Amino acid sequence: MKNKLFKTGFIYTIGNVLIQGVSFITLPIYTKYMSLTDYGSFSLFSSWVAILSIIFGLQTYGTFSIAKIKFDEDYDEYVLDAIKISSISFLFLILLFIFFNKFISMILNFDKFIIVFIAIQSYFHFIQISVSQYLMQNQKSILNLFISAFSLFINVAISIFLIFKINSGFYSRVIGGLIPGAIVCFSFWFYLIRKNKFTFRIKNFNFILFTSIPLVFHMISHQIISQTDKIMIDMYLNKESVALYSFSFTIAMILNIVLNSVNSVWIPWYFKEKKEENFNKINLYKKRYVLIATILTIGFLSVFPELVDILGNGAYKNNKIIIIVLTIGYYFSYLYTFPVNIQFYNENTKLIPVGTFISALFNIVFNYFLINKYGILGAAISTMMASILLLLFHHFIVKTKYGYDEFKLRDYILFACIVIIYSVFTGYFISDLFIRWLVCVCILSFITVWFFKFNLKS
């Protein structure tokens, strides 16, 4: 199990980073050949897709990790039932988009033609995440990477081709995302229907709806934390400011992608070991898991200024402090997965959306005051503060309800302080590559020696 865990984690994490690296390599093309308005408009388009995909799909893929344990022998049938429910929801909601397109167009601040694209892409986005979750729960990391790579390369190729062929960077990016989304969606449907009987299983439907609907509110609130920054920047500033913030957000997302990849591998292993009551084993691997995430965060903080110089141009290069603030927020988001995983394991998702909703409301309030005062830096600070509140809320929930003590408050404080102190150091020496990299190498060397000397002995 140990070798399988690390092998799966290594393949998925490294492969995912390499795949996402293609997106970042093409970023200079987008920032150079797309106007700030087009870049900002597509960022808003993506934000609405991220939010609406949760509503359209009813967040049924969020139940896959629990279902793998509860319905292991009939897992594929369960997944098909989950996709059916999501598709029924999509068909109903897209009709609303068509009949009330004028009203929805006013809310989303896009014309009537574009909101139909938003609706369709939201469903495709949901299916793509469902495919990834399905394959991860079956520990098919190589196939998952292949599908992700295929989608990404098709998306990038079409987008870049159209950018040079038509006079709209915005429409080029939209069409580039729709085509691979459609291919993955119809392929997954064909695979599930061919493998399973197309029947309705009431026990699955009840479990899916009971478990997933609370997750809708949780994930909507979570998307409010991460996406309303752009929406409110557009409201109080302009689409050019949205573009600048989105670029910083994209750079910081590199770390978030890595940490989410590691967590995606950790969850199925953690649930299995917890079910078998291997608590000593969990405690041992938990320490290594957190240490690896902290090392990755320190490493990212050390090299991102050079990434900004390579991938950005002109005004995009002046937002490095914003990336530092967003990075701290993403690290707190990573820490919050510990208490949330406990609630998933206990099949009790009712309180998950409560904490996220409260955090989202605070984020909106913080944005209102801080964007007006500090501009796009205020939006980054709001996101970081919301992430801290989210962690604290869920930690106290699982500690009170389940007596959770695998990760204590002092542990959060210790690791968070390490990242925050190093973030301040990075900000102070933001223009001095030599000092940043020298200190980073020294710190990582010390941690590596300590890790091998004291941890691996056990």
Side-chain angles (χ1 to χ4, degrees), residues 32 50 125 135 137 174 189 191 196 227 229 241 270 275 278 324 354 361 368 405 413 431:
K32 183 176 181 179
H125 181 69
L135 293 174
Q137 295 305 320
V174 170
W189 261 109
Y191 168 81
N196 305 280
Q227 303 296 343
D229 291 355
S241 297
Y270 173 70
K275 183 179 181 181
N278 294 325
I324 293 177
V354 175
L361 287 180
Y368 176 77
D405 63 352
I413 295 173
S431 301

Side-chain angles (χ1 to χ4, degrees), residues 329-384:
Y330 280 135
Y331 187 76
F332 276 105
S333 294
Y334 157 77
L335 292 177
Y336 123 98
T337 61
F338 283 95
V340 166
N341 286 341
I342 292 298
Q343 293 172 75
F344 275 112
Y345 176 79
N346 286 280
E347 300 180 18
N348 190 345
T349 58
K350 294 179 181 179
L351 290 175
I352 292 179
V354 175
T356 320
F357 180 72
I358 293 172
S359 180
L361 287 180
F362 272 100
N363 187 52
I364 292 173
V365 174
F366 293 152
N367 273 331
Y368 176 77
F369 290 103
L370 296 179
I371 289 176
N372 285 315
K373 188 171 183 178
Y374 300 110
I376 58 178
L377 176 60
I381 295 172
S382 298
T383 299
M384 179 188 69

Side-chain angles (χ1 to χ4, degrees), residues 236-281:
Y236 297 122
L237 301 176
N238 48 53
K239 283 187 170 58
E240 287 76 13
S241 297
V242 174
L244 297 176
Y245 183 80
S246 298
F247 176 81
S248 302
F249 190 86
T250 301
I251 297 296
M253 275 292 292
I254 297 174
L255 176 66
N256 193 46
I257 289 167
V258 174
L259 296 182
N260 282 340
S261 298
V262 175
N263 187 53
S264 295
V265 176
W266 168 262
I267 289 174
W269 179 87
Y270 173 70
F271 282 5
K272 183 177 184 301
E273 297 300 326
K274 196 166 182 66
K275 183 179 181 181
E276 295 175 359
E277 299 185 352
N278 294 325
F279 301 122
N280 291 333
K281 192 174 182 180

Side-chain angles (χ1 to χ4, degrees), residues 5 15 35 41 50 119 133 163 165 190-191 207 212 313-314 362 458:
L5 170 66
S35 66
S41 295
Q133 289 296 315
I163 283 175
K165 287 292 182 180
F190 177 77
Y191 168 81
F207 180 82
S212 69
N313 61 77
F362 272 100
S458 57

Side-chain angles (χ1 to χ4, degrees), residues 52 61 67 85 95 144 186 215 280 305 322-323 343-344 366 375 398 401 409 438:
L52 293 174
Y61 65 75
I85 291 175
L95 289 176
N144 189 23
F186 294 125
L215 295 180
N280 291 333
I322 295 172
I323 298 174
Q343 293 172 75
F344 275 112
F366 293 152
V398 296
K401 192 173 181 63
L409 188 61
L438 178 63

Side-chain angles (χ1 to χ4, degrees), residues 147-163:
I147 294 173
S148 299
F150 168 81
S151 300
L152 179 64
F153 284 122
I154 295 295
N155 187 333
V156 169
I158 293 174
S159 296
I160 293 177
F161 174 78
L162 291 177
I163 283 175

